[in-house]
């Protein structure tokens, strides 16, 4: 091999290593920023990761909302009609948040099985439910909730 070919080979290898390293870094960063959705049934089965951000969705269980009088802390339970997940949130809830309402919360599951929400999103009208939450409800008991049955 001539010195010129050797130099080209090293240059090509260096470029390929650089591209491979940049691709690996990009895929790693992308994987860390993915936020998965889990239903209350999947959380009860132990499929959801602890101390990693993910989404959970379902209906706010009737009679489960407890507000702290001295702060913005609120505790409530969401259900997919099969399993329940307790949620703790500190902040201002959306105006459309209420019992029986479909919601999606972003946050982490702690060691006691309580979901510590960083953000709570409520549906925006009477007919809408987040697709993930509607699918979880359908899979939980085989019947869509009453607001989804009208569609």
């Amino acid at each position: 091999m001539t010195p010129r070919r050797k130099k080209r080979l090293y240059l090509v290898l260096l470029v390929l290593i650089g591209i491979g390293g940049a691709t690996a870094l990009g895929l790693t960063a992308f994987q860390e920023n993915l936020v998965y959705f889990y239903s209350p049934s999947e959380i009860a089965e132990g499929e959801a990761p602890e101390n990693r951000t993910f989404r959970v969705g379902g209906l706010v269980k009737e009679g489960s909302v407890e507000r702290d009088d001295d702060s913005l802390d609120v505790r409530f339970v969401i259900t997919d009609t099969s399993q329940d997940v307790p949620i703790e949130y500190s902040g201002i809830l959306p105006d459309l948040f209420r019992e029986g309402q479909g919601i999606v919360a972003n946050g982490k599951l702690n060691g006691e099985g309580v979901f510590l929400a960083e953000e709570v999103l409520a549906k925006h009208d009477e007919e809408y439910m987040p697709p993930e939450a509607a699918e979880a409800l359908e899979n939980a008991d085989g019947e869509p909730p009453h607001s989804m049955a009208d569609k």
Side-chain angles (χ1 to χ4, degrees), residues 23-144:
T23 302
L25 287 173
L27 290 175
T28 302
F30 181 72
Q31 181 67 27
E32 289 176 4
N33 290 325
L34 285 178
V35 179
Y36 293 101
F37 177 88
Y38 292 92
S39 70
S41 293
E42 291 171 325
I43 293 172
E45 293 169 3
E47 295 179 25
E50 284 185 20
N51 298 316
R52 180 167 164 86
T53 300
F54 65 92
R55 292 173 141 185
V56 63
L59 300 174
V60 179
K61 193 169 186 176
E62 297 287 336
S64 70
V65 179
E66 300 172 11
R67 297 177 190 269
D68 188 359
D69 294 334
D70 299 330
S71 67
L72 294 176
D73 294 346
V74 63
R75 287 167 297 288
F76 57 94
V77 175
I78 63 167
T79 184
D80 61 4
T81 67
S82 176
Q83 296 289 332
D84 298 341
V85 173
I87 295 182
E88 291 182 2
Y89 177 68
S90 182
I92 298 173
L93 290 168
D95 291 338
L96 297 174
F97 178 90
R98 64 183 179 274
E99 294 176 354
Q101 177 77 37
I103 64 120
V104 172
N106 295 327
K108 297 178 180 181
L109 190 65
N110 69 9
E112 292 92 41
V114 176
F115 189 80
L116 306 175
E118 298 167 1
E119 180 181 27
V120 174
L121 306 168
K123 69 181 186 177
H124 59 77
D125 69 20
E126 290 303 315
E127 294 299 315
Y128 176 79
M129 180 175 292
E132 299 97 341
E135 183 179 332
L137 288 169
E138 287 175 9
N139 292 339
D141 65 357
E143 288 186 33

